[in-house]
Amino acid sequence: GSSPHGTILGHPDSLFVLFFTEMWERFSYYGMRALLVLFLVSTAAKGGWGWSREEATSLYGWYTGLAYATPILGGYLADRFLGTRRAVLIGGFIIAAGHISLFLDTIVSFYAGLSLIIAGTGLLKPNISAIVGQLYNKDNEQGRDGGYTLFYMGVNAGAFFGISLCGYIGEKISWNLGFGLAGVFMILGALQFWFGQKIFGSIGDVPSAESRAAVAASRDDEGPAHVVRDRLVAIGVFSFFTIFFWFAFEQAGGSMTIFAADYTDRTLVGTGGFIFKVINSLMTLIPAAILSWLWIKLAKATGGRIASSNAVLALALLLIWGLSLWMLGREFSLEQSEVPATWFGVLNSFFLVILAPYFTKMWDQWWNPSGPIKFGMGLVLLGLGFAALSYGSAGIAPGAKTAHVSMVFLCIAYLFHTMGELTLSPVGLSYISRLAPARLLGLMFGIWFLNTSIANKLAGATGSYIDHISETYSMSTFFLIFTLIPIGAGLVMMLLNKWMLGKMHGIR
Ligand code: GLN
Protein backbone atom coordinates (compact mmCIF):
# COMPACT_ATOMS: atom_id res chain seq x y z
CA GLY A 1 0.00 0.00 0.00
CA SER A 2 0.94 3.64 -0.23
CA SER A 3 1.17 4.00 3.50
CA PRO A 4 3.51 1.46 5.02
CA HIS A 5 3.34 3.37 8.31
CA GLY A 6 0.98 3.53 11.24
CA THR A 7 -2.75 3.89 11.17
CA ILE A 8 -5.08 6.06 13.22
CA LEU A 9 -8.75 5.11 13.54
CA GLY A 10 -8.03 2.55 10.85
CA HIS A 11 -6.76 5.15 8.36
CA PRO A 12 -3.22 5.97 7.18
CA ASP A 13 -1.47 8.34 9.59
CA SER A 14 -0.58 10.56 6.64
CA LEU A 15 -4.30 11.37 6.30
CA PHE A 16 -4.00 13.36 9.50
CA VAL A 17 -1.18 15.52 8.19
CA LEU A 18 -3.64 16.55 5.46
CA PHE A 19 -6.43 16.82 8.04
CA PHE A 20 -4.54 19.42 10.06
CA THR A 21 -3.20 21.36 7.07
CA GLU A 22 -6.67 21.69 5.60
CA MET A 23 -7.97 22.54 9.04
CA TRP A 24 -5.76 25.64 9.27
CA GLU A 25 -6.47 26.62 5.70
CA ARG A 26 -10.21 26.47 6.36
CA PHE A 27 -9.66 28.25 9.70
CA SER A 28 -8.25 31.17 7.76
CA TYR A 29 -10.81 30.98 4.95
CA TYR A 30 -13.93 30.80 7.12
CA GLY A 31 -12.52 33.06 9.83
CA MET A 32 -11.82 35.81 7.35
CA ARG A 33 -15.11 35.22 5.54
CA ALA A 34 -17.02 35.63 8.79
CA LEU A 35 -15.45 39.07 9.26
CA LEU A 36 -15.58 40.38 5.72
CA VAL A 37 -19.14 41.69 5.48
CA LEU A 38 -19.22 42.85 9.10
CA PHE A 39 -16.00 44.79 8.56
CA LEU A 40 -17.12 46.39 5.30
CA VAL A 41 -20.48 47.59 6.64
CA SER A 42 -19.12 48.90 9.96
CA THR A 43 -18.84 52.65 10.24
CA ALA A 44 -15.46 54.35 10.08
CA ALA A 45 -15.78 55.10 13.79
CA LYS A 46 -15.86 51.37 14.41
CA GLY A 47 -12.89 50.77 12.12
CA GLY A 48 -14.92 49.63 9.11
CA TRP A 49 -15.43 51.08 5.68
CA GLY A 50 -19.09 52.08 6.02
CA TRP A 51 -20.24 50.24 2.90
CA SER A 52 -23.91 49.49 2.25
CA ARG A 53 -25.12 45.95 2.88
CA GLU A 54 -25.65 45.43 -0.87
CA GLU A 55 -22.13 46.53 -1.76
CA ALA A 56 -20.63 44.35 0.93
CA THR A 57 -22.59 41.22 0.05
CA SER A 58 -21.79 41.75 -3.60
CA LEU A 59 -18.04 41.79 -2.88
CA TYR A 60 -18.53 38.76 -0.64
CA GLY A 61 -20.31 36.97 -3.47
CA TRP A 62 -17.49 37.73 -5.87
CA TYR A 63 -14.88 36.70 -3.36
CA THR A 64 -16.40 33.32 -2.45
CA GLY A 65 -17.39 32.72 -6.07
CA LEU A 66 -13.83 33.28 -7.29
CA ALA A 67 -12.22 31.32 -4.46
CA TYR A 68 -14.16 28.26 -5.67
CA ALA A 69 -13.52 28.97 -9.37
CA THR A 70 -9.71 29.18 -9.27
CA PRO A 71 -9.33 25.52 -8.21
CA ILE A 72 -9.90 24.58 -11.83
CA LEU A 73 -6.65 26.38 -12.70
CA GLY A 74 -4.82 25.15 -9.62
CA GLY A 75 -5.87 21.58 -10.32
CA TYR A 76 -4.69 21.81 -13.90
CA LEU A 77 -1.33 23.29 -12.90
CA ALA A 78 -0.75 20.49 -10.43
CA ASP A 79 -1.67 17.79 -12.94
CA ARG A 80 0.64 19.21 -15.58
CA PHE A 81 3.58 20.83 -13.81
CA LEU A 82 3.62 21.17 -10.06
CA GLY A 83 2.36 17.94 -8.58
CA THR A 84 -0.29 18.08 -5.89
CA ARG A 85 2.08 18.38 -2.94
CA ARG A 86 4.00 21.37 -4.22
CA ALA A 87 0.75 23.05 -5.26
CA VAL A 88 -0.55 22.70 -1.69
CA LEU A 89 2.62 24.22 -0.26
CA ILE A 90 2.82 27.15 -2.64
CA GLY A 91 -0.92 27.73 -2.24
CA GLY A 92 -0.61 27.72 1.55
CA PHE A 93 2.09 30.37 1.60
CA ILE A 94 0.25 32.54 -0.96
CA ILE A 95 -2.89 32.41 1.21
CA ALA A 96 -0.85 33.35 4.28
CA ALA A 97 0.62 36.30 2.36
CA GLY A 98 -2.95 37.30 1.51
CA HIS A 99 -4.01 37.40 5.15
CA ILE A 100 -0.95 39.40 6.10
CA SER A 101 -1.82 41.82 3.36
CA LEU A 102 -5.35 42.21 4.79
CA PHE A 103 -3.81 42.83 8.19
CA LEU A 104 -1.92 45.85 6.76
CA ASP A 105 -5.19 47.76 6.42
CA THR A 106 -4.84 49.94 3.34
CA ILE A 107 -7.17 49.91 0.35
CA VAL A 108 -4.52 48.52 -1.97
CA SER A 109 -3.34 45.84 0.45
CA PHE A 110 -6.97 44.86 1.11
CA TYR A 111 -7.68 44.02 -2.53
CA ALA A 112 -4.24 42.51 -2.96
CA GLY A 113 -4.97 40.33 0.05
CA LEU A 114 -8.29 39.09 -1.33
CA SER A 115 -6.64 38.32 -4.68
CA LEU A 116 -3.80 36.40 -3.07
CA ILE A 117 -6.24 34.31 -1.01
CA ILE A 118 -8.29 33.56 -4.12
CA ALA A 119 -5.17 32.50 -6.06
CA GLY A 120 -3.74 30.45 -3.19
CA THR A 121 -7.02 28.67 -2.53
CA GLY A 122 -7.09 27.67 -6.19
CA LEU A 123 -3.75 25.94 -5.70
CA LEU A 124 -4.40 24.40 -2.31
CA LYS A 125 -8.03 23.32 -2.15
CA PRO A 126 -8.39 20.93 -5.13
CA ASN A 127 -4.96 19.45 -4.67
CA ILE A 128 -5.09 18.67 -0.97
CA SER A 129 -8.44 17.02 -1.73
CA ALA A 130 -6.71 14.98 -4.43
CA ILE A 131 -3.89 13.78 -2.15
CA VAL A 132 -6.44 12.32 0.29
CA GLY A 133 -7.65 10.01 -2.47
CA GLN A 134 -4.09 9.06 -3.39
CA LEU A 135 -3.68 7.50 0.08
CA TYR A 136 -6.24 4.84 -0.86
CA ASN A 137 -5.69 2.14 -3.45
CA LYS A 138 -6.53 -1.50 -4.09
CA ASP A 139 -5.30 -2.50 -0.62
CA ASN A 140 -7.39 -0.14 1.49
CA GLU A 141 -10.06 0.97 -0.97
CA GLN A 142 -12.96 0.37 1.41
CA GLY A 143 -11.65 3.14 3.68
CA ARG A 144 -11.88 5.88 1.06
CA ASP A 145 -15.33 7.34 1.89
CA GLY A 146 -14.54 7.23 5.58
CA GLY A 147 -11.14 8.81 5.01
CA TYR A 148 -12.64 11.71 3.13
CA THR A 149 -15.20 12.06 5.90
CA LEU A 150 -12.43 12.38 8.49
CA PHE A 151 -10.65 14.88 6.25
CA TYR A 152 -13.92 16.81 6.08
CA MET A 153 -14.01 16.82 9.85
CA GLY A 154 -10.74 18.76 9.65
CA VAL A 155 -12.37 21.20 7.22
CA ASN A 156 -15.08 21.88 9.76
CA ALA A 157 -12.89 21.95 12.82
CA GLY A 158 -11.10 24.76 10.99
CA ALA A 159 -14.36 26.47 10.09
CA PHE A 160 -15.57 26.17 13.68
CA PHE A 161 -12.53 27.76 15.31
CA GLY A 162 -12.01 30.24 12.49
CA ILE A 163 -15.55 31.58 12.73
CA SER A 164 -15.55 31.62 16.53
CA LEU A 165 -12.07 32.99 17.20
CA CYS A 166 -11.40 35.29 14.22
CA GLY A 167 -15.03 36.41 14.41
CA TYR A 168 -14.76 37.18 18.10
CA ILE A 169 -11.41 38.94 17.94
CA GLY A 170 -12.32 40.84 14.78
CA GLU A 171 -15.61 42.07 16.12
CA LYS A 172 -14.67 42.75 19.74
CA ILE A 173 -11.00 43.76 19.51
CA SER A 174 -9.97 44.85 16.02
CA TRP A 175 -10.72 43.81 12.47
CA ASN A 176 -7.04 43.73 11.62
CA LEU A 177 -6.19 41.37 14.43
CA GLY A 178 -8.96 39.08 13.25
CA PHE A 179 -7.55 39.02 9.72
CA GLY A 180 -4.01 38.68 11.06
CA LEU A 181 -4.94 35.72 13.24
CA ALA A 182 -6.22 33.91 10.16
CA GLY A 183 -2.78 34.50 8.63
CA VAL A 184 -0.86 33.19 11.64
CA PHE A 185 -2.68 29.87 11.51
CA MET A 186 -2.27 29.55 7.77
CA ILE A 187 1.51 30.02 8.17
CA LEU A 188 1.59 27.36 10.89
CA GLY A 189 -0.50 25.05 8.70
CA ALA A 190 1.79 25.47 5.70
CA LEU A 191 4.90 24.92 7.87
CA GLN A 192 3.40 21.82 9.40
CA PHE A 193 2.72 20.44 5.93
CA TRP A 194 6.22 21.34 4.75
CA PHE A 195 7.91 19.56 7.65
CA GLY A 196 5.51 16.64 7.45
CA GLN A 197 5.46 15.98 3.73
CA LYS A 198 8.02 13.20 3.71
CA ILE A 199 5.29 11.02 5.15
CA PHE A 200 3.70 10.95 1.68
CA GLY A 201 6.63 9.27 -0.03
CA SER A 202 6.23 9.72 -3.76
CA ILE A 203 2.54 10.63 -3.54
CA GLY A 204 1.89 14.05 -5.04
CA ASP A 205 5.36 14.36 -6.62
CA VAL A 206 6.00 16.60 -9.60
CA PRO A 207 4.31 14.73 -12.45
CA SER A 208 6.65 12.64 -14.54
CA ALA A 209 6.21 9.65 -16.79
CA GLU A 210 7.33 7.33 -13.98
CA SER A 211 5.15 8.86 -11.30
CA ARG A 212 2.12 8.66 -13.59
CA ALA A 213 2.85 5.02 -14.28
CA ALA A 214 3.24 4.31 -10.56
CA VAL A 215 -0.06 5.99 -9.75
CA ALA A 216 -1.83 4.15 -12.56
CA ALA A 217 -0.43 0.83 -11.37
CA SER A 218 -1.59 1.39 -7.80
CA ARG A 219 -5.16 1.90 -8.95
CA ASP A 220 -7.61 -0.38 -10.63
CA ASP A 221 -7.01 -0.31 -14.34
CA GLU A 222 -8.37 2.92 -15.80
CA GLY A 223 -9.93 0.88 -18.57
CA PRO A 224 -10.59 1.60 -22.23
CA ALA A 225 -11.48 5.04 -23.57
CA HIS A 226 -15.25 4.60 -23.33
CA VAL A 227 -14.98 3.72 -19.64
CA VAL A 228 -12.93 6.84 -18.98
CA ARG A 229 -15.47 8.89 -20.91
CA ASP A 230 -18.44 7.41 -19.04
CA ARG A 231 -16.79 8.08 -15.71
CA LEU A 232 -16.20 11.70 -16.68
CA VAL A 233 -19.93 11.93 -17.43
CA ALA A 234 -20.64 10.56 -13.94
CA ILE A 235 -18.36 13.23 -12.45
CA GLY A 236 -20.30 15.84 -14.41
CA VAL A 237 -23.66 14.57 -13.11
CA PHE A 238 -22.51 14.37 -9.48
CA SER A 239 -21.00 17.85 -9.71
CA PHE A 240 -24.16 19.21 -11.30
CA PHE A 241 -26.34 17.93 -8.45
CA THR A 242 -24.10 19.62 -5.90
CA ILE A 243 -25.26 22.92 -7.36
CA PHE A 244 -28.71 22.27 -5.86
CA PHE A 245 -27.16 21.34 -2.56
CA TRP A 246 -24.82 24.30 -2.14
CA PHE A 247 -27.37 26.71 -3.57
CA ALA A 248 -29.88 25.81 -0.86
CA PHE A 249 -27.17 25.42 1.78
CA GLU A 250 -25.58 28.83 1.16
CA GLN A 251 -29.01 30.35 0.88
CA ALA A 252 -29.64 28.90 4.29
CA GLY A 253 -26.67 30.76 5.69
CA GLY A 254 -28.19 34.11 4.76
CA SER A 255 -31.85 33.52 5.43
CA MET A 256 -31.31 31.51 8.60
CA THR A 257 -29.23 34.30 10.10
CA ILE A 258 -32.07 36.73 9.38
CA PHE A 259 -34.52 34.25 10.87
CA ALA A 260 -32.32 33.87 13.93
CA ALA A 261 -31.96 37.61 14.39
CA ASP A 262 -35.55 38.71 13.81
CA TYR A 263 -37.86 35.85 14.58
CA THR A 264 -36.43 33.67 17.31
CA ASP A 265 -36.64 34.26 21.01
CA ARG A 266 -33.04 34.38 22.21
CA THR A 267 -33.52 36.12 25.50
CA LEU A 268 -32.09 34.09 28.35
CA VAL A 269 -32.40 35.44 31.85
CA GLY A 270 -30.80 34.22 35.06
CA THR A 271 -29.91 30.53 35.01
CA GLY A 272 -30.90 30.36 31.33
CA GLY A 273 -28.03 32.68 30.46
CA PHE A 274 -25.67 30.72 32.66
CA ILE A 275 -26.65 27.41 31.10
CA PHE A 276 -26.06 28.90 27.66
CA LYS A 277 -22.56 29.92 28.70
CA VAL A 278 -21.86 26.40 29.90
CA ILE A 279 -23.18 24.87 26.66
CA ASN A 280 -21.18 27.37 24.65
CA SER A 281 -18.03 26.49 26.56
CA LEU A 282 -18.53 22.76 26.09
CA MET A 283 -19.10 23.41 22.41
CA THR A 284 -15.68 25.02 22.22
CA LEU A 285 -13.76 22.71 24.52
CA ILE A 286 -15.03 19.41 23.11
CA PRO A 287 -13.74 20.06 19.56
CA ALA A 288 -10.46 21.36 21.02
CA ALA A 289 -10.16 18.17 23.06
CA ILE A 290 -10.91 15.95 20.05
CA LEU A 291 -8.21 17.74 18.04
CA SER A 292 -5.67 17.40 20.81
CA TRP A 293 -6.49 13.71 21.10
CA LEU A 294 -5.98 13.27 17.34
CA TRP A 295 -2.69 15.12 17.55
CA ILE A 296 -1.46 12.78 20.31
CA LYS A 297 -2.44 9.83 18.11
CA LEU A 298 -0.57 11.36 15.18
CA ALA A 299 2.53 12.09 17.24
CA LYS A 300 2.54 8.50 18.54
CA ALA A 301 1.84 6.84 15.19
CA THR A 302 4.51 8.80 13.37
CA GLY A 303 7.07 8.52 16.15
CA GLY A 304 10.04 10.72 15.38
CA ARG A 305 9.41 10.66 11.64
CA ILE A 306 7.74 14.02 11.39
CA ALA A 307 8.73 15.48 14.73
CA SER A 308 9.09 19.08 13.56
CA SER A 309 5.71 18.93 11.87
CA ASN A 310 4.19 17.70 15.10
CA ALA A 311 5.92 20.42 17.07
CA VAL A 312 4.41 23.13 14.86
CA LEU A 313 1.05 21.45 15.20
CA ALA A 314 1.34 21.33 18.98
CA LEU A 315 2.14 25.03 18.99
CA ALA A 316 -0.94 25.80 16.89
CA LEU A 317 -3.16 23.71 19.15
CA LEU A 318 -1.76 25.42 22.24
CA LEU A 319 -2.68 28.73 20.65
CA ILE A 320 -6.20 27.44 20.01
CA TRP A 321 -6.56 26.37 23.64
CA GLY A 322 -5.20 29.68 24.88
CA LEU A 323 -7.45 31.78 22.69
CA SER A 324 -10.52 29.66 23.40
CA LEU A 325 -10.07 29.81 27.16
CA TRP A 326 -9.43 33.54 26.99
CA MET A 327 -12.57 34.07 24.91
CA LEU A 328 -14.73 31.92 27.18
CA GLY A 329 -13.34 33.59 30.30
CA ARG A 330 -14.19 36.99 28.87
CA GLU A 331 -17.71 35.89 27.98
CA PHE A 332 -18.33 34.41 31.40
CA SER A 333 -17.50 37.67 33.10
CA LEU A 334 -20.16 39.47 31.03
CA GLU A 335 -23.73 40.05 32.12
CA GLN A 336 -25.23 38.52 29.01
CA SER A 337 -28.88 37.79 28.51
CA GLU A 338 -29.16 37.02 24.83
CA VAL A 339 -27.82 34.36 22.49
CA PRO A 340 -26.12 36.28 19.66
CA ALA A 341 -27.79 35.60 16.30
CA THR A 342 -24.42 34.81 14.70
CA TRP A 343 -23.90 31.98 17.20
CA PHE A 344 -26.08 29.69 15.09
CA GLY A 345 -23.58 30.00 12.28
CA VAL A 346 -21.11 27.71 14.05
CA LEU A 347 -23.69 25.01 14.79
CA ASN A 348 -23.10 23.48 11.36
CA SER A 349 -19.38 22.97 11.81
CA PHE A 350 -19.84 21.94 15.44
CA PHE A 351 -22.35 19.21 14.55
CA LEU A 352 -20.11 18.14 11.72
CA VAL A 353 -17.04 17.64 13.92
CA ILE A 354 -19.09 15.64 16.41
CA LEU A 355 -20.89 13.47 13.84
CA ALA A 356 -18.09 12.87 11.32
CA PRO A 357 -16.48 9.94 13.20
CA TYR A 358 -19.83 8.12 13.27
CA PHE A 359 -20.36 8.64 9.57
CA THR A 360 -16.82 7.39 8.94
CA LYS A 361 -17.61 4.29 10.94
CA MET A 362 -20.89 3.85 9.15
CA TRP A 363 -19.33 4.02 5.67
CA ASP A 364 -16.31 1.93 6.76
CA GLN A 365 -18.15 -0.84 8.55
CA TRP A 366 -21.91 -0.76 8.77
CA TRP A 367 -23.62 0.51 5.71
CA ASN A 368 -22.43 2.12 2.52
CA PRO A 369 -25.05 2.43 -0.24
CA SER A 370 -24.09 3.43 -3.78
CA GLY A 371 -22.96 6.96 -4.62
CA PRO A 372 -26.16 8.21 -6.26
CA ILE A 373 -28.20 6.93 -3.31
CA LYS A 374 -25.94 8.72 -0.83
CA PHE A 375 -26.15 11.89 -2.92
CA GLY A 376 -29.92 11.64 -3.05
CA MET A 377 -30.12 11.09 0.70
CA GLY A 378 -27.90 14.10 1.32
CA LEU A 379 -30.21 16.33 -0.70
CA VAL A 380 -33.32 14.94 0.99
CA LEU A 381 -31.81 15.52 4.46
CA LEU A 382 -31.02 19.11 3.52
CA GLY A 383 -34.64 19.55 2.44
CA LEU A 384 -35.89 18.09 5.72
CA GLY A 385 -33.85 20.70 7.60
CA PHE A 386 -35.73 23.42 5.75
CA ALA A 387 -39.00 21.60 6.46
CA ALA A 388 -38.32 22.06 10.18
CA LEU A 389 -37.85 25.79 9.58
CA SER A 390 -40.96 26.00 7.44
CA TYR A 391 -42.97 24.31 10.16
CA GLY A 392 -41.41 26.42 12.90
CA SER A 393 -42.08 29.69 11.11
CA ALA A 394 -45.66 28.83 10.08
CA GLY A 395 -47.13 31.19 12.66
CA ILE A 396 -45.27 34.26 11.41
CA ALA A 397 -47.56 36.52 9.40
CA PRO A 398 -46.32 37.73 5.99
CA GLY A 399 -44.46 41.00 6.37
CA ALA A 400 -44.08 40.64 10.16
CA LYS A 401 -40.86 42.24 11.36
CA THR A 402 -40.46 40.29 14.58
CA ALA A 403 -41.74 37.11 16.19
CA HIS A 404 -40.85 34.81 19.06
CA VAL A 405 -40.23 31.36 17.63
CA SER A 406 -38.26 28.78 19.58
CA MET A 407 -34.55 28.47 18.77
CA VAL A 408 -35.05 24.71 18.69
CA PHE A 409 -36.19 24.78 15.05
CA LEU A 410 -32.94 26.38 13.99
CA CYS A 411 -30.92 23.79 15.89
CA ILE A 412 -32.90 20.95 14.26
CA ALA A 413 -32.44 22.55 10.84
CA TYR A 414 -28.67 22.81 11.28
CA LEU A 415 -28.53 19.23 12.50
CA PHE A 416 -30.31 17.95 9.39
CA HIS A 417 -28.25 20.18 7.13
CA THR A 418 -25.10 18.78 8.65
CA MET A 419 -26.22 15.17 8.26
CA GLY A 420 -27.09 15.94 4.65
CA GLU A 421 -23.71 17.57 4.10
CA LEU A 422 -21.93 14.55 5.56
CA THR A 423 -23.88 12.24 3.29
CA LEU A 424 -23.07 14.22 0.14
CA SER A 425 -20.02 16.44 0.33
CA PRO A 426 -17.08 14.35 1.65
CA VAL A 427 -18.49 11.35 -0.16
CA GLY A 428 -18.58 13.44 -3.32
CA LEU A 429 -14.85 14.11 -3.01
CA SER A 430 -14.34 10.39 -2.63
CA TYR A 431 -16.22 9.64 -5.85
CA ILE A 432 -14.31 12.29 -7.80
CA SER A 433 -11.06 10.70 -6.67
CA ARG A 434 -12.20 7.27 -7.87
CA LEU A 435 -13.83 8.31 -11.12
CA ALA A 436 -11.13 10.69 -12.36
CA PRO A 437 -8.24 9.34 -14.44
CA ALA A 438 -5.01 9.85 -12.46
CA ARG A 439 -3.63 12.36 -14.92
CA LEU A 440 -6.72 14.62 -14.59
CA LEU A 441 -7.24 14.32 -10.85
CA GLY A 442 -6.58 17.94 -9.89
CA LEU A 443 -8.62 19.28 -12.77
CA MET A 444 -11.63 17.12 -11.86
CA PHE A 445 -11.56 18.45 -8.31
CA GLY A 446 -11.47 21.89 -9.90
CA ILE A 447 -14.68 21.05 -11.74
CA TRP A 448 -16.26 19.78 -8.54
CA PHE A 449 -15.52 23.06 -6.77
CA LEU A 450 -16.53 25.14 -9.79
CA ASN A 451 -20.08 24.01 -9.10
CA THR A 452 -19.86 25.40 -5.59
CA SER A 453 -18.78 28.64 -7.18
CA ILE A 454 -21.85 28.65 -9.44
CA ALA A 455 -24.11 27.74 -6.51
CA ASN A 456 -22.65 30.51 -4.36
CA LYS A 457 -23.24 33.10 -7.06
CA LEU A 458 -26.81 31.85 -7.56
CA ALA A 459 -27.48 31.99 -3.83
CA GLY A 460 -26.14 35.53 -3.72
CA ALA A 461 -28.47 36.52 -6.54
CA THR A 462 -31.61 35.03 -5.00
CA GLY A 463 -30.61 36.21 -1.53
CA SER A 464 -31.79 39.69 -2.41
CA TYR A 465 -35.34 38.33 -2.83
CA ILE A 466 -35.65 37.08 0.76
CA ASP A 467 -37.19 40.31 2.01
CA HIS A 468 -39.56 40.42 -0.91
CA ILE A 469 -40.76 36.83 -0.58
CA SER A 470 -41.15 36.92 3.18
CA GLU A 471 -43.22 40.09 2.90
CA THR A 472 -45.46 39.03 0.04
CA TYR A 473 -45.82 35.41 1.04
CA SER A 474 -44.25 34.36 4.32
CA MET A 475 -41.04 33.14 5.85
CA SER A 476 -42.65 29.71 5.96
CA THR A 477 -43.31 29.68 2.21
CA PHE A 478 -39.76 30.81 1.59
CA PHE A 479 -38.41 27.85 3.58
CA LEU A 480 -40.90 25.53 1.90
CA ILE A 481 -39.40 26.38 -1.49
CA PHE A 482 -36.01 25.34 -0.12
CA THR A 483 -37.56 22.17 1.25
CA LEU A 484 -38.90 21.15 -2.13
CA ILE A 485 -35.93 22.04 -4.37
CA PRO A 486 -33.35 19.74 -2.71
CA ILE A 487 -35.84 16.94 -2.04
CA GLY A 488 -36.89 17.02 -5.70
CA ALA A 489 -33.27 16.97 -6.85
CA GLY A 490 -32.48 14.18 -4.38
CA LEU A 491 -35.29 11.98 -5.65
CA VAL A 492 -34.17 12.48 -9.26
CA MET A 493 -30.63 11.51 -8.25
CA MET A 494 -31.91 8.32 -6.64
CA LEU A 495 -33.94 7.49 -9.74
CA LEU A 496 -30.76 7.86 -11.77
CA ASN A 497 -29.02 5.26 -9.58
CA LYS A 498 -29.00 2.46 -12.12
CA TRP A 499 -27.99 4.66 -15.01
CA MET A 500 -25.20 6.22 -12.95
CA LEU A 501 -23.90 2.82 -11.85
CA GLY A 502 -23.66 1.93 -15.53
CA LYS A 503 -21.59 5.05 -16.22
CA MET A 504 -19.35 4.36 -13.23
CA HIS A 505 -18.28 0.92 -14.48
CA GLY A 506 -17.76 -1.05 -11.32
CA ILE A 507 -17.27 1.88 -8.95
CA ARG A 508 -20.15 1.87 -6.53
N1 GLN B 1 -17.40 23.17 3.79
C1 GLN B 1 -16.80 22.70 2.59
C2 GLN B 1 -15.39 23.17 2.47
O1 GLN B 1 -15.11 24.31 2.67
C3 GLN B 1 -17.60 23.08 1.41
C4 GLN B 1 -16.99 22.62 0.13
C5 GLN B 1 -17.85 22.80 -1.07
O2 GLN B 1 -17.68 22.07 -2.04
N2 GLN B 1 -18.75 23.69 -1.10
O3 GLN B 1 -14.53 22.41 2.17
Side-chain angles (χ1 to χ4, degrees):
S2 57
S3 182
H5 312 303
T7 59
I8 300 172
L9 301 173
H11 290 267
D13 51 11
S14 45
L15 174 66
F16 295 87
V17 175
L18 301 171
F19 174 107
F20 283 111
T21 306
E22 176 64 345
M23 173 171 143
W24 303 123
E25 187 265 331
R26 292 284 100 181
F27 178 103
S28 70
Y29 175 78
Y30 283 105
M32 179 277 186
R33 216 177 90 153
L35 289 180
L36 187 59
V37 171
L38 291 175
F39 160 71
L40 290 171
V41 301
S42 288
T43 57
K46 288 188 173 159
W49 282 5
W51 283 22
S52 72
R53 183 151 276 282
E54 288 69 41
E55 290 167 328
T57 41
S58 158
L59 180 68
Y60 177 89
W62 276 107
Y63 168 68
T64 54
L66 286 174
Y68 278 112
T70 47
I72 199 149
L73 269 174
Y76 172 79
L77 287 176
D79 288 341
R80 288 300 303 274
F81 309 109
L82 295 172
T84 43
R85 238 170 46 221
R86 250 213 284 177
V88 167
L89 256 181
I90 299 171
F93 284 113
I94 292 179
I95 295 172
H99 289 290
I100 291 167
S101 189
L102 290 182
F103 171 74
L104 295 180
D105 197 27
T106 68
I107 293 186
V108 174
S109 65
F110 179 79
Y111 286 104
L114 291 186
S115 312
L116 285 168
I117 297 171
I118 288 167
T121 307
L123 279 170
L124 190 147
K125 185 80 169 139
N127 294 313
I128 196 164
S129 310
I131 302 177
V132 173
Q134 292 172 322
L135 305 181
Y136 296 87
N137 53 46
K138 285 180 207 139
D139 304 330
N140 59 355
E141 186 55 49
Q142 81 300 336
R144 190 182 291 256
D145 284 358
Y148 268 107
T149 302
L150 282 171
F151 172 74
Y152 208 76
M153 179 187 176
V155 163
N156 282 274
F160 178 82
F161 283 106
I163 296 169
S164 347
L165 294 178
C166 294
Y168 189 84
I169 288 175
E171 220 177 331
K172 307 236 167 147
I173 314 280
S174 104
W175 302 113
N176 290 48
L177 277 186
F179 292 136
L181 186 65
V184 168
F185 280 102
M186 187 65 253
I187 292 174
L188 291 176
L191 283 177
Q192 178 234 326
F193 184 81
W194 188 8
F195 289 136
Q197 60 175 324
K198 54 178 174 284
I199 200 170
F200 299 109
S202 62
I203 290 172
D205 271 351
V206 177
S208 65
E210 306 88 76
S211 69
R212 288 215 184 93
V215 171
S218 74
R219 296 158 44 104
D220 283 330
D221 186 19
E222 247 178 42
H226 80 276
V227 171
V228 174
R229 217 176 318 118
D230 278 0
R231 286 179 175 167
L232 292 180
V233 170
I235 289 181
V237 175
F238 276 138
S239 300
F240 176 72
F241 275 83
T242 65
I243 297 183
F244 295 95
F245 190 90
W246 295 119
F247 168 63
F249 192 92
E250 287 291 327
Q251 186 64 83
S255 59
M256 286 161 81
T257 311
I258 293 175
F259 183 67
D262 295 345
Y263 301 107
T264 58
D265 195 353
R266 291 167 292 114
T267 321
L268 298 172
V269 281
T271 38
F274 180 76
I275 290 172
F276 171 70
K277 284 175 189 174
V278 172
I279 292 177
N280 199 21
S281 306
L282 287 177
M283 269 180 62
T284 307
L285 299 179
I286 291 173
I290 294 176
L291 295 177
S292 307
W293 177 79
L294 275 179
W295 168 68
I296 292 170
K297 288 248 167 204
L298 180 64
K300 273 193 185 153
T302 54
R305 266 187 306 137
I306 58 166
S308 32
S309 173
N310 273 318
V312 175
L313 183 49
L315 179 68
L317 286 173
L318 268 178
L319 260 174
I320 283 284
W321 274 103
L323 285 168
S324 301
L325 291 172
W326 166 81
M327 174 181 79
L328 294 174
R330 227 165 154 261
E331 282 303 295
F332 255 99
S333 64
L334 293 175
E335 192 55 59
Q336 178 197 302
S337 58
E338 201 180 49
V339 177
T342 47
W343 178 82
F344 295 95
V346 295
L347 276 182
N348 167 234
S349 36
F350 172 74
F351 282 141
L352 205 137
V353 170
I354 300 301
L355 293 176
Y358 298 99
F359 276 72
T360 295
K361 225 182 159 95
M362 176 158 77
W363 308 140
D364 278 0
Q365 293 169 16
W366 301 328
W367 184 56
N368 197 345
S370 73
I373 297 292
K374 278 182 291 213
F375 258 66
M377 282 170 32
L379 281 154
V380 169
L381 284 165
L382 180 72
L384 291 178
F386 281 111
L389 290 176
S390 181
Y391 176 79
S393 58
I396 305 173
K401 288 283 169 246
T402 58
H404 295 283
V405 176
S406 163
M407 295 185 288
V408 167
F409 294 107
L410 268 167
C411 296
I412 294 176
Y414 275 113
L415 181 62
F416 273 90
H417 281 188
T418 305
M419 293 194 296
E421 185 180 2
L422 271 165
T423 314
L424 177 141
S425 185
V427 159
L429 299 174
S430 167
Y431 280 91
I432 302 298
S433 77
R434 269 182 279 174
L435 292 165
R439 71 207 132 80
L440 297 179
L441 196 56
L443 186 65
M444 290 302 123
F445 276 104
I447 289 185
W448 168 259
F449 288 119
L450 187 62
N451 287 285
T452 292
S453 166
I454 294 170
N456 279 359
K457 279 276 337 112
L458 276 178
T462 57
S464 47
Y465 291 109
I466 300 177
D467 286 342
H468 177 73
I469 294 179
S470 60
E471 264 170 41
T472 324
Y473 304 98
S474 67
M475 211 64 196
S476 184
T477 310
F478 179 79
F479 288 133
L480 187 63
I481 298 172
F482 286 98
T483 305
L484 299 178
I485 293 175
I487 290 185
L491 294 179
V492 171
M493 182 88 256
M494 291 191 200
L495 287 176
L496 289 177
N497 186 38
K498 254 192 122 157
W499 180 80
M500 282 292 277
L501 286 175
K503 294 278 172 219
M504 288 156 73
H505 292 276
I507 291 169
R508 282 199 76 256

